[in-house]
Amino acid sequence: MTIMKNGKEKSIAAFSLAFFLFIIVKDAWLSDDAYIVFRVVDNFVHGYGLTWNIDERVQTYTNPLWMFLLSLVYFFTHEIYYSSLVLSITISLVAVGLFAVYLTRSPLLAALGIIALAASKSFVDFSTSGLENPLTYLLIVCFMLVFYSGQRNKNYMFWLALIAGLATLNRMDSLLLFVPALIFVLYKFPGWKSVKALLLGFLPFLCWEVFSLWYYGFLFPNTAYAKLDTGVDSIQLFYQGIGYFVSSFAFDPLLFIVIGASIFFLFQQRAWKDLPFLIGMLLYLLYTVKIGGDFMAGRFLTEPFLIAIILLVHTSFPVSKSNWTLALAIIMLFTIITPNSRWYPLIRSSLVMDQTGVADERAFYEDTTLVNAKHLTTLQPGFVLTQEGLQARRSGKHVVVGVNVGFFSFAAGPHVHVVDVFGLSEPFLARLPVRPRWRIGHFERDFPAGYLETLKSGKNLIQNKDLALYYDKLEYVIRGPLFDVQRLTEIWKLNIGAYDYLLSNYSHKL
């Protein structure tokens, strides 16, 4: 009887996993931001280095590990659309499969966790999209799997550190999710051996940082300067961050219900061994508020959501048939009544962007990037933006200005220098004051007089003398000979702020 019951429960779990696969394949899509990374991948594979505009070295991507993995696949396929989708779907499925098999207390709880993941609009959306989320999911599952396995081998700390280091290499701010657990393990197993294992595990990330400083001239991606170093008042960003949570709740309330439930049951069941992950989730959420959130609804909340589900089904959710049924009913209810649900709900919202500037990014691009018959009738994903990029490629212009530069820049090809008005690809613009009116993640700058002429001519024609001098220093770092001693000196000076007074002089004149 017990064997039959277990077999039935395992069948339910297997069906849930198949359903999850169906949902993410059905709704597979690619975002415009993904094509910013794809342009780097295309340049890298074709021998132009890790560049976005091939005439300068600028890190426009925030996910080096994901970029390298995409490059490996693209090297063999030379096709980015289906390659990135298949890679994302495969990694997402492996992550959820590992979670279901190794991190749940029973097949029924595994099924419940999988259904919750499939019911989350955000988790499903960013299981594809072309961004790094799927790889982060896999690394979270692997980290928690090793963590809960206990000290079963002498390399326990090393494996934890290696996975956390790879997650940091995949996206730097995800480190906050892992730091409390690493500190806990160091406290539990103090000594030089643990510290040595920690440093050794983070060696790939540390090597990347050394390379980034030498190759690009900076430790952080250019997007960090464009989006985080904006000069916008911290109170404004805080309110925007709260608005991001409110908007994400409207788009996908299940995220917050599950995260809240994980906190409640952790304290109710006194599952103190889970506390490091709760602290990591809270640190990550506080950081998200501090930076103003994001413009993609739910994107920055999928990682804490996955951790919360693992905490529930691994440790703290009370196991009983009635509790399981109630939880499933709640998931189904919110799936039906949420206007943006991916399960063909009774109510369907046409809202793509709200008043805070937070958007249902997939809904914005679904007509041009979904895997369906409509897509197959167009030439390429991102049809309109792609055609504009192809037109720029044929125009013979060396320098063009773009907005929503992902699809556009990829289609424009490597020999067109695309200037992004939000400074994501322009280290010079990224360090200038933003316009008073901005949308989160889109901080537009005014072009200083002579800047575009400088890019087109190759001569410094910037009219403001302070900016002209700063541009000379910066240009030497991103365009000068890699091994030149003077370039290394300028890298040092730029990173310690030796030339920041030039930017301040310009700002005070505005």
Side-chain angles (χ1 to χ4, degrees), residues 109 112 265 317-330:
L109 282 178
L112 185 65
F265 284 115
F317 186 74
V319 181
S320 72
K321 187 175 180 180
S322 59
N323 286 339
W324 187 91
T325 304
L326 177 61
L328 182 61
I330 292 172

Side-chain angles (χ1 to χ4, degrees), residues 173-207:
D173 49 20
S174 68
L175 176 62
L176 293 171
L177 296 168
F178 303 96
V179 163
L182 292 174
I183 292 175
F184 172 79
V185 174
L186 276 176
Y187 173 78
K188 191 175 180 181
F189 305 105
W192 168 242
K193 285 186 178 180
S194 292
V195 174
K196 183 180 177 181
L198 179 68
L199 294 174
L200 190 61
F202 271 85
L203 189 59
F205 172 71
L206 296 174
C207 288

Side-chain angles (χ1 to χ4, degrees), residues 72 117 168 214 387 491:
L72 178 63
L117 293 173
T168 308
W214 168 71
Q387 294 307 307
I491 288 174

Side-chain angles (χ1 to χ4, degrees), residues 435-498:
R435 289 182 175 179
R437 294 179 62 85
W438 47 268
R439 176 191 171 203
I440 192 65
H442 299 75
F443 296 93
E444 191 170 354
R445 278 84 169 175
D446 291 317
F447 292 172
Y451 178 61
L452 286 179
E453 291 77 10
T454 297
L455 294 176
K456 292 175 182 178
S457 67
K459 298 178 181 179
N460 192 339
L461 301 176
I462 298 174
Q463 295 181 15
N464 182 280
K465 293 182 179 179
D466 290 314
L467 287 188
L469 179 57
Y470 190 90
Y471 179 81
D472 281 338
K473 305 298 184 182
L474 184 61
E475 183 192 32
Y476 197 71
V477 167
I478 64 176
R479 295 180 184 241
L482 280 171
F483 296 97
D484 184 71
V485 175
Q486 181 58 35
R487 176 179 176 271
L488 299 179
T489 302
E490 297 299 350
I491 288 174
W492 169 256
K493 290 183 177 180
L494 282 168
N495 279 277
I496 66 171

